[in-house]
Amino acid sequence: MTERRLFPVLFSIFFLVFCLSHGRRGNLAAAGRTPVSVPVGVVLDFKTSFGRMSTTSISLALEDFYSVHANYTTRLRLHTRDSKTDVIGAASAALDLMKNVRVQAIMGPVTSSQAEFIVNLGNKTKVPIVSFSATSPSLSPAQSPYFVRTALDDSSQVRCIASILKLFGWRQVVPIYEDTRYGRGIIPYLVDALQDIDGRIPYRSVIQPSASDDKIKEELLKLKTMSTRVFVVHMSLSLASRLFLLASENEMIEDEYVWIVTDGMTNLLGSMNTTIIESMQGVLGVRPYVPKSPRLADFTRRWRRKYQEENPDEEATEPSLYSLWAYDTVWALAMAEESLGVSKPGFQSVQIGNDSTDLGALEVSQSGPDLLKAINKVRFEGLAGEFHLVNGQLQPSGFQIININGKGGRNVGFWMAEKISRWPSSRGKIMQQASSTDLPIIWPGERRYAPKGWVIPTSGKKLRIGVPVKDGFNEFMKVERNVNGNQTEITGFCVDVFDSVMKIMPYNVPYKYVPFEDVNGKSAGSYNDLVNQVAEQGYDAVVGDTTILANRSRNVDFTLPFTESGWTMVVLVKENNGKSGWIFVKPWRSDLWIASFAFFVFTGFVVWMIEHRVNPAFRGHPTQHLGRSFYFTFSTMVFSHRENVESNFSRLVIIVWVFVVLILQSSFTANLASLLTIQKLEPAFTDVQELLNGGHNVGYQEGSFVYNHLKEHLHFDETRIKKYENPDQYAEALSKGTYNGGVSAIFDEVPYIKVFLSKYCSNYTMAGPVYKADGFGFVFPKGSPLVRDVSSAILTVTEEKTMRDIEKKWFGDKTVCKSEGSHFSSGRLTLKSFEGLFFITGAVSTASLLLFLGNFFFQNRKKVSSDETEDSVWKRATSRAAAWAKHYDKMSLPKKEWSRRVRDVPSQEERPRGDVEEDNSLSSHGRNSLESVSRTESEVSYSSEMESPRMPADPPFQITVAR
């Protein structure tokens, strides 16, 4: 019953939908509202395979779009024209379409050169020119508002190419491009990208599109004689095909060569014949990333069948990326036209040029501006990926790195956001930043490892290594001719280092040494002149004791240094037998003397404060308090203090203080002994300012950069600067001194000074500050690929036994004088050396004093009274402070205990004669104590009103010595 009722309901719904849809179409047909045809022009080169492939894609795009969108009210009607592979032909075709057909938009043309003139026409007539193949950055939608690029411009790939060069460490590259707008457009962007990775272009190879095979071969032979082996090819398919065929014939697709092609060729790999592919084995290419999809696979199958039907005489081929962009362009135009509605487009006659020409008869499209806006708003998922225009052109989503091998190209890497990763696995996972060994590339010559990117030029010439000619310091560099003068022997420390470096290089570098000399066999100039010869291509490199300097590195490149750095002065050593009468104060610096005296006083004060009320030895006439306190603390230096201390606080302070005094005394004694015995020699000058103020002469090594620094930076007068050549001249000039025609100091680099001191150790020494310099390095032309490998080899040589053997060979086992510069004099002890000690004793003394005072105030808080009737706060405070001071000055012990402590005070007879004054003071304390004994115990003990006892004339008892 249910099935019987359900079937009529479903049938009724189906019939109703069918009638409504057909009724709508019938109504449209009855009303004459058939789909509106929109004329769109297409300008292609039908004689080329590119044009024919694009035509196939465009026809398939129209069929597919309107089969999916059958109810659209607009239909694109294509009007195709052949540009005949010529700029004039393309311009004529566009004029015809605009003038006679009145097209709303034009697709094409193929090349950027053809598009340039047509785009200008589009700007005049407001007809959008939509190109899927004019990729030159020089043709920009920003400059031509009616130009729309539905492809990626060439500048978008230069970052990917630069990342490849950086990954493999290639810093020099030669671009090979055609001399057209398309070829030249990418070069400025490539140069900028190379600068970001510290790369450079030593040479640009420009080839005319009409160049003969002989011309191309001549250019290839020129490239073959150069050292750079990394080439970036950017040209049209027809010209690039001839280039690679000739390069293969000249054995340039072999070991050590690196070829990278731009997407203009990589996008068309599927259309290349087998012969061209075979000539490109090992070549790398880049092309925009296209995600795979079932829709793309179905299109490829249908496109291949249709193309073969239309071109039966051609080999089977695959659709290129340009074919996919052409397909998506048709869809974008159809969507844009539909979004404008079915209003009939119109043209308005406007005077553009001379009426007698075709340009004068052109009209301006009324719907062009709206159509342009609609195209830029279109967004959908196309065959080549997401179709989304930004500022009138398509945006990249990443680049594939292709390695041409076998019968075609294979994906080996992926580039996005400045990072290269290995091509996604079958699971679609992309690796993080890849290393140069992660990409499975087969290089030219079927090599599995990356070429270094350069070789020694194959012109048959060896590298010409310039070496300096000098008369002194032959340990570093020596140029010597035999008796007949027809042979030159070049030896030295620098030569041996360079030879050792070249031996461990990963490849062979032929070279020969060429002296930098004039016709007389003398030096042809300074070291700066020699370095400039490399920049001027007089030499291929320089080996010698050449210092790395900033002004030199502007025109050349230096390797890492292989010697010590810096330059300073060497002076005479003078004997210092006559000691100063105040040498005993030199072991300590002034800050340590002041700190020590301050802590002596502070410690004595703390002990006096604690002991004053309970110890008879710390009482007496007020004028004696200061002397007694000082005497006690200073006597601890020789541990001769005889006074007993009664308080545990005092004992703690003295224990710590005696420890500090012991260390201070030991350090003072040791340093004073070293000053009196070890300090026999000292440099004659230690300060450059002293040389300047005294008008002293100074010297330098002839040809050295030091001369300019002495004159310009240290401000020595030019008449005071003298040049010398060898260590013997150094010694003679220094021994004479300024006032005998010599110099007071020689300024030179540290390696030279050490060689000099190894010969004249006892009489001279380095002194003064060491000025910064980067040591000796080898010189190469700017951007030379040898610099990196030579620097790496220098590190290997310096870290191994090889460098020690070379140094021993030329400098022997002699060592520089052990006492150099500031090491001649003992270092004076400073407060910083004893900060911890002073902190400890200061903290203990302060804490003990505070604890004592706190205990005193607490115990006597009820025994002290002051005048509180004063109106002034200040007077009341003063009165209370005076009462506390008066109470503090009183004795705080019972009479029996006080008498016992008085008896323990040392007597005059048992004390040294120097202590007579102290005994008198103590005697007075004894008398005071005896007088207090005669008083009643109640009057003496703890009475806050007790007065200070009076001293009798003679003490009734003998004072004994206590230790």
Side-chain angles (χ1 to χ4, degrees):
M1 185 70 178
T2 303
E3 293 179 356
R4 292 180 180 179
R5 293 180 178 179
L6 181 61
F7 177 79
V9 172
L10 292 176
F11 180 81
S12 300
I13 292 174
F14 174 78
F15 182 78
L16 179 62
V17 172
F18 178 82
C19 291
L20 287 176
S21 61
H22 279 71
R24 180 175 178 271
R25 291 185 181 182
N27 291 335
L28 286 174
R33 296 178 61 186
T34 57
V36 176
S37 296
V38 179
V40 174
V42 178
V43 179
L44 296 173
D45 297 328
F46 295 124
K47 293 183 179 180
T48 63
S49 60
F50 182 92
R52 292 190 291 271
M53 292 169 65
S54 300
T55 301
T56 301
S57 296
I58 290 172
S59 61
L60 276 177
L62 282 176
E63 295 176 9
D64 294 347
F65 183 83
Y66 289 115
S67 64
V68 175
H69 306 92
N71 60 337
Y72 271 24
T73 58
T74 58
R75 293 288 188 275
L76 297 184
R77 187 172 76 253
L78 302 183
H79 299 267
T80 60
R81 296 291 187 272
D82 186 5
S83 64
K84 300 178 181 179
T85 66
D86 184 63
V87 175
I88 301 300
S92 300
L95 280 172
D96 177 57
L97 291 171
M98 292 178 181
K99 178 182 177 181
N100 300 322
V101 184
R102 293 187 175 185
V103 294
Q104 298 300 300
I106 293 179
M107 294 175 57
V110 173
T111 66
S112 299
S113 300
Q114 295 174 356
E116 182 178 5
F117 182 74
I118 298 179
V119 167
N120 290 330
L121 291 178
N123 293 333
K124 294 291 186 181
T125 60
K126 296 184 180 180
V127 174
I129 309 299
V130 186
S131 177
F132 53 84
S133 58
T135 57
S136 174
S138 61
L139 194 62
S140 171
Q143 299 174 351
S144 304
Y146 282 86
F147 173 61
V148 179
R149 183 168 16 230
T150 56
L152 300 181
D153 74 75
D154 295 330
S155 65
S156 61
Q157 63 187 312
V158 295
R159 296 291 176 187
C160 177
I161 295 174
S163 296
I164 296 174
L165 298 174
K166 182 179 180 180
L167 180 67
F168 291 99
W170 299 320
R171 291 294 182 266
Q172 292 196 86
V173 59
V174 173
I176 306 175
Y177 57 96
E178 65 179 46
D179 191 14
T180 61
R181 189 183 188 92
Y182 166 75
R184 295 186 299 268
I186 195 177
I187 298 304
Y189 300 92
L190 181 62
V191 171
D192 292 342
L194 289 176
Q195 287 180 347
D196 292 341
I197 63 169
D198 196 24
R200 60 187 296 266
I201 297 177
Y203 177 74
R204 301 183 186 186
S205 178
V206 186
I207 300 178
Q208 295 291 334
S210 59
S212 63
D213 289 351
D214 292 337
K215 282 290 184 181
I216 297 176
K217 187 181 298 184
E218 180 181 343
E219 184 66 21
L220 289 173
L221 291 176
K222 183 186 299 184
L223 296 175
K224 195 172 183 179
T225 60
M226 298 180 181
S227 62
T228 305
R229 287 291 184 267
V230 182
F231 307 115
V232 174
V233 180
H234 180 66
M235 53 182 58
S236 61
L237 177 61
S238 59
L239 184 58
S241 300
R242 296 167 54 203
L243 174 74
F244 279 103
L245 288 173
L246 294 173
S248 180
E249 292 178 4
N250 286 274
E251 298 180 348
M252 294 181 67
I253 315 293
E254 301 292 341
D255 292 353
E256 301 296 344
Y257 284 91
V258 178
W259 295 84
I260 302 175
V261 295
T262 59
D263 62 355
M265 285 194 64
T266 314
N267 292 337
L268 299 174
L269 282 177
S271 63
M272 295 182 186
N273 59 45
T274 305
T275 305
I276 299 174
I277 293 294
E278 289 178 353
S279 68
M280 297 176 64
Q281 296 295 297
V283 174
L284 288 183
V286 297
R287 68 183 177 193
Y289 171 67
V290 177
K292 293 184 178 180
S293 64
R295 182 185 174 200
L296 177 60
D298 177 68
F299 167 79
T300 302
R301 177 182 52 80
R302 293 187 295 113
W303 185 95
R304 190 186 303 115
R305 183 175 62 249
K306 184 175 180 63
Y307 186 81
Q308 197 65 35
E309 292 174 355
E310 294 174 351
N311 306 278
D313 297 333
E314 294 189 17
E315 296 182 4
T317 185
E318 298 288 331
S320 67
L321 180 59
Y322 296 107
S323 301
L324 305 184
W325 283 336
Y327 184 95
D328 292 343
T329 300
V330 173
W331 278 57
L333 273 175
M335 290 180 179
E337 287 288 356
E338 181 65 21
S339 66
L340 295 180
V342 296
S343 59
K344 186 176 181 180
F347 281 81
Q348 181 180 0
S349 297
V350 178
Q351 185 69 26
I352 294 179
N354 192 340
D355 290 339
S356 62
T357 64
D358 290 336
L359 291 176
L362 289 177
E363 298 177 341
V364 176
S365 173
Q366 299 298 301
S367 61
D370 294 333
L371 178 59
L372 181 65
K373 294 179 181 178
I375 295 173
N376 285 311
K377 291 181 180 179
V378 172
R379 190 166 185 173
F380 63 95
E381 192 65 30
L383 289 180
E386 183 181 14
F387 186 93
H388 175 51
L389 301 179
V390 177
N391 297 326
Q393 60 185 14
L394 203 64
Q395 299 301 300
S397 58
F399 281 87
Q400 301 169 233
I401 301 175
I402 308 298
N403 181 210
I404 301 176
N405 188 257
K407 297 182 179 180
R410 57 191 183 91
N411 298 316
V412 295
F414 181 80
W415 179 89
M416 177 179 283
E418 309 297 331
K419 292 183 179 180
I420 295 178
S421 60
R422 190 166 179 170
W423 184 249
S425 62
S426 58
R427 297 182 180 181
K429 294 182 179 180
I430 297 177
M431 295 174 59
Q432 295 300 320
Q433 180 76 35
S435 65
S436 58
T437 58
D438 290 335
L439 304 184
I441 300 174
I442 300 177
W443 302 94
E446 298 186 357
R447 293 177 52 165
R448 298 286 178 170
Y449 56 91
K452 62 178 179 293
W454 67 275
V455 296
I456 301 300
T458 57
S459 59
K461 297 181 180 179
K462 297 180 179 180
L463 291 180
R464 300 179 73 252
I465 309 296
V467 296
V469 176
K470 56 193 303 182
D471 295 330
F473 294 98
N474 293 327
E475 293 87 350
F476 293 97
M477 181 64 64
K478 183 177 182 181
V479 178
E480 190 176 22
R481 296 187 181 276
N482 61 3
V483 179
N484 297 327
N486 55 3
Q487 288 186 347
T488 302
E489 183 179 6
I490 299 175
T491 57
F493 169 76
C494 300
V495 172
D496 284 358
V497 172
F498 186 76
D499 291 340
S500 300
V501 167
M502 290 296 104
K503 288 179 182 178
I504 64 173
M505 291 282 283
Y507 42 83
N508 180 44
V509 181
Y511 61 92
K512 64 178 180 179
Y513 295 114
V514 180
F516 183 55
E517 59 185 3
D518 56 19
V519 293
N520 298 320
K522 300 295 183 180
S523 176
S526 65
Y527 278 73
N528 287 336
D529 297 330
L530 176 58
V531 171
N532 289 334
Q533 285 294 310
V534 177
E536 296 170 2
Q537 299 182 357
Y539 295 119
D540 298 313
V542 166
V543 170
D545 46 349
T546 312
T547 306
I548 303 171
L549 297 175
N551 62 333
R552 293 175 179 174
S553 62
R554 295 190 185 100
N555 300 320
V556 297
D557 281 345
F558 283 91
T559 63
L560 291 177
F562 56 90
T563 63
E564 292 182 81
S565 62
W567 59 281
T568 185
M569 66 178 180
V570 59
V571 297
L572 268 173
V573 171
K574 65 180 181 180
E575 191 171 1
N576 187 16
N577 291 325
K579 301 299 180 182
S580 170
W582 293 92
I583 194 172
F584 66 90
V585 301
K586 289 187 177 180
W588 289 358
R589 213 167 65 179
S590 59
D591 57 347
L592 183 55
W593 278 111
I594 295 172
S596 299
F597 179 79
F599 273 90
F600 270 101
V601 174
F602 177 69
T603 304
F605 170 76
V606 171
V607 172
W608 179 85
M609 284 288 295
I610 297 174
E611 295 291 321
H612 180 67
R613 303 188 78 241
V614 298
N615 195 334
F618 288 88
R619 296 190 66 83
H621 194 276
T623 58
Q624 297 177 343
H625 291 184
L626 181 62
R628 192 178 304 277
S629 300
F630 282 176
Y631 170 78
F632 177 79
T633 53
F634 279 92
S635 64
T636 57
M637 291 185 62
V638 292
F639 308 101
S640 64
H641 52 285
R642 292 176 175 82
E643 293 81 3
N644 286 334
V645 290
E646 302 295 340
S647 173
N648 287 332
F649 290 126
S650 301
R651 294 187 182 101
L652 178 60
V653 171
I654 297 232
I655 289 172
V656 176
W657 175 245
V658 168
F659 175 72
V660 173
V661 169
L662 177 63
I663 294 179
L664 289 174
Q665 182 184 21
S666 302
S667 303
F668 180 87
T669 304
N671 210 26
L672 180 60
S674 68
L675 289 173
L676 293 172
T677 57
I678 296 176
Q679 185 189 8
K680 299 297 183 182
L681 301 173
E682 64 181 15
F685 299 94
T686 59
D687 189 6
V688 175
Q689 195 63 39
E690 185 179 359
L691 295 170
L692 287 169
N693 295 339
H696 293 273
N697 295 336
V698 295
Y700 74 100
Q701 185 182 168
E702 183 178 6
S704 174
F705 71 94
V706 173
Y707 173 77
N708 291 330
H709 284 270
L710 291 175
K711 187 172 65 172
E712 298 175 4
H713 299 105
L714 299 184
H715 307 294
F716 278 97
D717 188 89
E718 189 173 356
T719 60
R720 296 287 182 182
I721 305 175
K722 299 185 177 183
K723 61 182 178 181
Y724 301 98
E725 295 181 349
N726 53 60
D728 296 334
Q729 293 181 2
Y730 280 16
E732 182 181 357
L734 287 171
S735 62
K736 290 181 178 180
T738 296
Y739 303 109
N740 294 319
V743 295
S744 298
I746 296 284
F747 286 87
D748 209 342
E749 295 174 75
V750 172
Y752 297 121
I753 292 179
K754 287 191 173 184
V755 171
F756 169 73
L757 292 178
S758 67
K759 297 180 179 180
Y760 301 94
C761 181
S762 58
N763 298 325
Y764 308 95
T765 181
M766 281 195 293
V770 177
Y771 301 96
K772 293 296 183 182
D774 285 338
F776 299 159
F778 302 130
V779 186
F780 288 92
K782 199 73 174 178
S784 172
L786 273 171
V787 173
R788 185 182 64 173
D789 294 337
V790 173
S791 296
S792 179
I794 287 175
L795 292 177
T796 303
V797 170
T798 53
E799 292 173 359
E800 294 179 349
K801 185 175 177 291
T802 306
M803 182 61 79
R804 293 193 296 272
D805 293 339
I806 297 174
E807 290 176 347
K808 184 177 180 180
K809 172 184 175 182
W810 290 103
F811 308 125
D813 294 327
K814 298 179 182 179
T815 58
V816 184
C817 296
K818 294 182 179 178
S819 51
E820 295 176 357
S822 61
H823 298 289
F824 273 88
S825 57
S826 271
R828 303 177 68 186
L829 297 176
T830 64
L831 175 61
K832 191 173 183 63
S833 304
F834 301 97
E835 284 179 344
L837 282 175
F838 286 124
F839 174 78
I840 293 172
T841 185
V844 170
S845 299
T846 303
S848 299
L849 180 60
L850 292 177
L851 289 173
F852 167 75
L853 291 176
N855 184 54
F856 167 73
F857 286 125
F858 179 78
Q859 290 182 353
N860 297 276
R861 64 188 183 278
K862 296 181 180 180
K863 299 178 182 180
V864 178
S865 62
S866 60
D867 189 1
E868 300 293 338
T869 61
E870 297 288 347
D871 296 335
S872 172
V873 176
W874 170 254
K875 291 182 178 180
R876 287 199 302 270
T878 305
S879 175
R880 189 167 184 81
W884 274 107
K886 183 177 181 181
H887 183 73
Y888 172 80
D889 191 51
K890 296 177 181 179
M891 295 181 297
S892 63
L893 292 175
K895 58 182 179 180
K896 292 182 180 180
E897 179 65 19
W898 185 261
S899 299
R900 184 189 64 77
R901 295 187 182 183
V902 170
R903 295 189 192 100
D904 292 338
V905 177
S907 66
Q908 292 183 9
E909 290 79 3
E910 298 181 14
R911 293 169 68 85
R913 295 182 59 88
D915 295 339
V916 173
E917 294 181 2
E918 303 294 333
D919 291 340
N920 292 334
S921 176
L922 291 175
S923 297
S924 65
H925 282 290
R927 297 188 185 96
N928 292 339
S929 299
L930 287 178
E931 183 179 346
S932 65
V933 170
S934 64
R935 298 184 181 183
T936 61
E937 183 176 347
S938 59
E939 292 176 333
V940 177
S941 302
Y942 310 108
S943 176
S944 62
E945 301 296 326
M946 182 172 56
E947 297 179 358
S948 299
R950 301 295 181 182
M951 297 286 291
D954 296 315
F957 59 87
Q958 182 68 39
I959 300 176
T960 59
V961 177
R963 293 187 180 274

